[in-house]
Amino acid sequence: DSLLRLPDVIARVGLARSTIYDMISKGGFPAPVKLGGRAVAWRASEIAVWIDSLRATGVAAASEVAG
């Protein structure tokens, strides 16, 4: 499974950094994997599943979830 750094995650989901971390704290977004020190990344498969779950529930845009 490939790993995505934050800029790639932002590009895929269309949410801001602060929104992503807020959603993580509320359990609404996949948590990152620690790579060491201060580096984190997300599993591409988990991001894909999250995006698919939005489509399955009929959410038109990821930004509506953050609301």
Side-chain angles (χ1 to χ4, degrees):
D1 195 11
S2 61
L3 297 175
L4 303 172
R5 298 301 303 267
L6 184 59
D8 298 321
V9 173
I10 290 170
R12 288 190 187 202
V13 302
L15 297 172
R17 175 189 185 278
S18 58
T19 302
I20 290 171
Y21 279 103
D22 183 52
M23 292 177 71
I24 290 168
S25 72
K26 295 176 181 174
F29 196 84
V33 176
K34 281 193 161 264
L35 301 178
R38 295 171 29 173
V40 297
W42 284 258
R43 289 182 178 91
S45 61
E46 291 181 2
I47 299 302
V49 167
W50 184 82
I51 291 169
D52 290 343
S53 73
L54 292 182
R55 291 183 185 134
T57 59
V59 176
S63 59
E64 292 179 25
V65 174

